[in-house]
Amino acid sequence: MICEYERVRLPAHQRAGAKDGVFRAHAGMWHSALLLADASSEVFKEVAEALRMFPEYGLVITGHSLGGGVASLLTLLWSQPLFDHADESLSGSTPGLLAGGPRQFATAECFGLVASRPIHCFSFGSPCSTNAALSYYCRGLVTSLTNADDFVSFLSVGAFMDLLNISAVLNRERGVAEKIMRGFLSRQRAKLGEKLRWFDFDFSKLRAYDDDEELATDDEQSSATKCGDAWGVRTSQSKQSKMRADAVEQEEREIDDWHLSLVKTLRANMDSEKLYPPGDVFVLAAPGDDQIADAQLPETAASKTADEDHAPVGLFYCPDVADRFTELRFSRNMIVHHLPSTYERRLSALVHEAHQTP
């Protein structure tokens, strides 16, 4: 996955263009796709023969993880656009549509493949294989499906460069952990002192009496004087507690401001060029996985159990891959969500639920 980017040429997509004039792809996956697309490869021979034998058939290419990334780029190499590039204004909320109509592709003859057949790719657990411009261009040609916490869909060289930049920033912020811990301990100490201030007396002066023993009393004036002194001490302690609470509140505001400043600084340094899943990207999410799922499935979000096999699953379209997949996402399910068995189970649950819905 950690591989450099390569500028790519698309022989059958000469009129296609990126905003900066450059399409980039994962170099390792791109070269693998070129090997498979070549007319001398066994894969090409089998596919070309099948298309000749069945003239009514189109071509669907699919894969998972690394296979999905290579399949996406192979589909791009074997295809040609059937829409007018003059209208490249994408419909952000609708998969595979231009402002002027659907984005359609067909097989191309540049590698010797049978031309003008419908072609599409389905990629599961799709890795980051294209830059943002190429990802958007693939809409209508590639459908990428990813679980909400699948870390592979966030992973590229740019993401690791961001981690290095973050480490450098934190290294410059010396004493970060110590400052956080000091603030935390100070707040806890102040809260504990506030709770115990009404019990601030000497327990060693307490006397025990039998039920029949008469309580001995001191002189009334002396008792009044002692009570007055005790009240004065308690009033002073109350003022000190309030001052401590105000100081803690001020410290909390300073810590919050520092945290906000640090987050802004870190995100300002997370500007490395990244790759993204290609095409129309859909996210499989259950309540608790993603804010979108929590919002769309409110009736089950609060009652979700630890058994993921019975958790409801939703399928959500991602209109902006550069926004969603620009930062690495860490969770306890980041590995499990990439397994093929997880995709199979969740898709089966989704299909079953769709059949049960009237």
Side-chain angles (χ1 to χ4, degrees):
M1 294 305 302
I2 306 175
C3 187
E4 62 184 3
Y5 309 157
E6 182 160 327
R7 186 169 179 170
V8 302
R9 281 188 65 255
L10 303 173
H13 303 260
Q14 294 294 340
R15 291 179 297 169
K19 291 182 180 179
D20 60 354
V22 176
F23 284 146
R24 292 187 179 86
H26 185 286
M29 297 182 197
W30 177 249
H31 286 287
S32 297
L34 286 173
L35 291 174
L36 295 175
D38 190 81
S40 62
S41 73
E42 291 298 322
V43 171
F44 177 89
K45 293 176 182 178
E46 292 291 334
V47 171
E49 179 63 22
L51 289 175
R52 283 192 293 268
M53 290 179 61
F54 301 96
E56 70 279 12
Y57 278 56
L59 179 60
V60 175
I61 306 175
T62 186
H64 171 265
S65 192
L66 175 61
V70 175
S72 301
L73 297 177
L74 177 61
T75 304
L76 189 61
L77 285 168
W78 278 351
S79 66
Q80 59 182 341
L82 300 180
F83 54 88
D84 186 3
H85 288 280
D87 188 5
E88 280 291 338
S89 177
L90 287 172
S91 173
S93 59
T94 307
L97 287 184
L98 290 169
R103 294 169 58 88
Q104 295 181 341
F105 294 81
T107 54
E109 59 183 7
C110 57
F111 286 92
L113 202 63
V114 177
S116 302
R117 300 288 184 86
I119 183 172
H120 198 86
C121 174
F122 293 94
S123 176
F124 300 91
S126 183
C128 300
S129 55
T130 60
N131 67 346
L134 188 53
S135 174
Y136 292 132
Y137 177 74
C138 289
R139 290 184 175 183
L141 176 65
V142 178
T143 298
S144 294
L145 192 68
T146 176
N147 277 317
D149 289 334
D150 189 341
F151 77 106
V152 172
S153 299
F154 296 83
L155 202 60
S156 67
V157 175
F160 280 91
M161 293 299 297
D162 283 350
L163 288 180
L164 290 176
N165 293 337
I166 290 174
S167 300
V169 171
L170 293 177
N171 183 57
R172 292 195 298 267
E173 291 279 338
R174 295 190 180 278
V176 171
E178 291 83 353
K179 187 172 183 179
I180 293 174
M181 288 304 299
R182 282 198 302 270
F184 173 78
L185 293 175
S186 176
R187 290 193 296 272
Q188 296 305 312
R189 185 167 56 249
K191 290 178 182 178
L192 183 60
E194 182 68 19
K195 291 178 180 178
L196 297 179
R197 68 185 180 90
W198 295 107
F199 302 95
D200 191 13
F201 58 88
D202 190 352
F203 288 91
S204 64
K205 293 182 179 180
L206 289 178
R207 295 174 57 190
Y209 299 92
D210 294 331
D211 292 340
D212 297 333
E213 182 181 357
E214 215 174 88
L215 294 178
T217 59
D218 295 325
D219 181 75
E220 292 183 1
Q221 182 64 33
S222 177
S223 297
T225 302
K226 290 181 180 180
C227 289
D229 293 342
W231 178 256
V233 170
R234 181 164 295 180
T235 302
S236 176
Q237 290 175 344
S238 177
K239 291 180 179 179
Q240 292 176 1
S241 298
K242 186 177 184 306
M243 291 175 63
R244 285 196 298 267
D246 291 342
V248 169
E249 185 178 352
Q250 176 64 25
E251 183 181 1
E252 287 181 344
R253 284 197 296 267
E254 292 177 356
I255 291 294
D256 290 341
D257 292 342
W258 176 78
H259 283 160
L260 180 61
S261 175
L262 180 61
V263 169
K264 289 182 178 179
T265 302
L266 293 178
R267 286 194 165 155
N269 283 271
M270 298 171 66
D271 57 354
S272 303
E273 183 183 11
K274 301 175 184 69
L275 300 182
Y276 304 95
D280 294 300
V281 181
F282 291 85
V283 178
L284 278 168
D289 288 346
D290 196 277
Q291 293 180 354
I292 300 177
D294 292 340
Q296 296 293 327
L297 306 171
E299 70 280 0
T300 56
S303 59
K304 182 188 175 187
T305 64
D307 185 6
E308 292 194 359
D309 292 342
H310 298 89
V313 179
L315 186 66
F316 305 95
Y317 181 63
C318 178
D320 190 351
V321 293
D323 179 64
R324 177 180 175 81
F325 296 96
T326 194
E327 296 181 11
L328 280 174
R329 181 169 177 165
F330 297 95
S331 76
R332 61 185 179 87
N333 295 319
M334 59 189 294
I335 303 296
V336 175
H337 274 199
H338 186 62
L339 299 178
S341 57
T342 304
Y343 280 94
E344 183 177 6
R345 184 181 69 249
R346 286 192 154 196
L347 286 172
S348 297
L350 195 65
V351 171
H352 177 74
E353 185 177 348
H355 286 167
Q356 296 298 319
T357 303

